[in-house]
Amino acid sequence: MTDAQFHAAMDLYRQGRNDEGGRLLRQAAQAGHAPAMSQLGYQMLSGRGAPLDRVSGVRMIVAAAGKGEAMACTLAAALVAAGVFGKPDWPRALDYLQQGAEAGFPMARAQLRLLAGRTGDDWGILRREIDIESWRAAPHPHMLSRDPRVSAFEGVASPAVCDWIIARARDRLGPARIYDRAGGQAVGSSRSNSAFELGLAELDLVVLALRERLAVAAGLPIMNLNAPQVLHYSLGQTFEPHVDFFDPAIPAQAMNIASSGQRAATALVYLNEEGLEGGETDFPLLSLRHRGRRGDALVFFNLDEAGQPDRRTLHAGLAPTRGEKWLLSQWIRDGDLPGAVDGARGA
């Protein structure tokens, strides 16, 4: 009966009858149906299709992964590598990913191949060939500015990883937002590009491994990283000059600093170059413009040596004059972020 409930629930979702679908999905999940548990866990973790409840979502996903459900194993791999249960545990994460691949989940299989750097379908061998320490190694920086610190890194991401990230975001983009003075996020006239945030429910081991490399490049702990965003600029779209640090003079932003730390650094990974003209990252107060090649990264510090906001880091995302521009954007705080799902650490 639970299998029929699950399939009926998914049919109702496809028809836009979300309330009815949600009731059937919860019934199937409560009865222990692993695919229903996995789907409901994802919905609670993302807030899409169910009220946002990260703690319950994580618990539901881990329980479904314990039953060997393919999607849940793949989601659990990312949760473990993201440090949801404490320090990131990559061996455990890779074990979960291997389980997901062996259970037939395409996303798990694709991630194993990308992390191992080759094709193949012997999931155990691919898992054993993955060297996470090599992913943590950052290339030697090319200093573009010493004060403030701005550095370029060549070959941070392979072409295959760049393509993977673009594919994750391409059909899920929405208007890029800016923080308003009240502390909320809104669409503003200073920004016309689009974006997709890889929140906790959307992270995967490929992106998480790349984030580890970016943290090493910045010399900051992995636990200080915000959720990354994929940015897309069509012809003529731009992000006007702005700073990435929070302004302590604005009460809502001061509260954000107090709760989660200041945005100490920004890392950008350039995901494409073919057919692209323009689209540089411009620092007008430094007389510096830069656009890396595909897979290169730019890391700049938003704070000065005393840890204070550095307004010289004013920068803009210039518009492409030909083609389109794709970036991965990663903010790095100056302190550990609060646990996203602290209540699930014992899961």
Side-chain angles (χ1 to χ4, degrees):
M1 179 62 181
T2 53
D3 202 45
Q5 284 178 316
F6 172 69
H7 289 295
M10 301 313 292
D11 283 340
L12 288 167
Y13 277 119
R14 284 189 284 270
Q15 296 169 33
R17 298 160 65 183
N18 293 349
D19 289 343
E20 297 169 81
R23 282 194 294 272
L24 279 181
L25 187 66
R26 286 191 294 274
Q27 289 172 10
Q30 289 165 1
H33 185 262
M37 294 167 65
S38 179
Q39 180 64 32
L40 182 59
Y42 170 79
Q43 290 181 352
M44 291 190 291
L45 193 62
S46 65
R48 288 188 287 275
L52 182 66
D53 183 348
R54 292 192 177 100
V55 171
S56 298
V58 168
R59 291 188 180 278
M60 189 74 73
I61 288 166
V62 171
K67 295 173 176 281
E69 203 282 322
M71 176 180 166
C73 288
T74 308
L75 290 169
L79 295 174
V80 169
V84 165
F85 308 106
K87 184 179 178 181
D89 185 344
W90 276 89
R92 184 182 173 203
L94 291 170
D95 287 344
Y96 269 131
L97 193 65
Q98 180 182 339
Q99 282 184 266
E102 290 172 344
F105 198 54
M107 281 279 290
R109 293 179 171 186
Q111 289 176 60
L112 277 178
R113 289 169 175 147
L114 277 171
L115 290 166
R118 70 173 183 86
T119 59
D121 55 10
D122 190 318
W123 313 118
I125 290 176
L126 286 174
R127 182 252 180 273
R128 289 190 294 274
E129 288 180 354
I130 295 169
D131 180 5
I132 290 300
E133 287 306 315
S134 71
W135 276 88
R136 293 189 176 110
H140 183 74
H142 299 280
M143 191 73 71
L144 303 180
S145 169
R146 293 191 177 276
D147 184 23
R149 289 175 289 170
V150 182
S151 298
F153 296 80
E154 295 181 359
V156 167
S158 70
V161 168
C162 292
D163 288 346
W164 170 265
I165 295 171
I166 291 173
R168 293 295 318 276
R170 185 178 291 278
D171 296 327
R172 307 167 82 177
L173 295 165
R177 297 175 177 270
I178 58 173
Y179 274 89
D180 58 29
R181 295 186 68 86
Q185 295 188 49
V187 176
S189 60
S190 65
R191 190 174 192 184
S192 57
N193 69 296
S194 54
F196 172 65
E197 182 175 284
L198 290 157
L200 197 58
E202 311 301 340
L203 286 172
D204 59 65
L205 263 61
V206 176
V207 172
L208 287 164
L210 177 58
R211 275 164 39 104
E212 296 239 354
R213 182 170 288 170
L214 294 175
V216 170
L220 292 169
I222 185 67
M223 296 305 288
N224 294 23
L225 273 62
N226 275 111
Q229 296 184 66
V230 182
L231 309 180
H232 176 259
Y233 292 75
S234 294
L235 193 69
Q237 290 184 333
T238 186
F239 191 178
E240 294 178 7
H242 62 282
V243 292
D244 282 354
F245 58 76
F246 288 117
D247 188 342
I250 299 175
Q253 296 191 17
M255 290 176 61
N256 199 314
I257 296 170
S259 65
S260 303
Q262 180 61 280
R263 287 178 183 162
T266 299
L268 300 174
V269 180
Y270 299 90
L271 300 176
N272 73 307
E273 61 179 308
E274 186 175 355
L276 172 62
E277 293 179 5
E280 298 91 348
T281 305
D282 179 44
F283 296 84
L285 301 182
L286 304 178
S287 299
L288 171 64
R289 285 187 178 183
H290 179 79
R291 192 188 79 215
R293 298 177 66 86
R294 184 187 192 191
D296 292 351
L298 182 72
V299 177
F300 56 93
F301 284 78
N302 304 305
L303 310 180
D304 62 22
E305 294 292 345
Q308 297 302 308
D310 192 335
R311 297 192 179 277
R312 295 173 299 171
T313 61
L314 183 81
H315 61 283
L318 300 184
T321 57
R322 179 172 175 265
E324 59 180 349
K325 177 174 72 172
W326 289 91
L327 296 167
L328 180 79
S329 174
Q330 177 67 67
W331 288 314
I332 310 175
R333 303 280 186 133
D334 62 359
D336 286 1
L337 291 168
V341 283
D342 283 336
R345 290 192 186 276

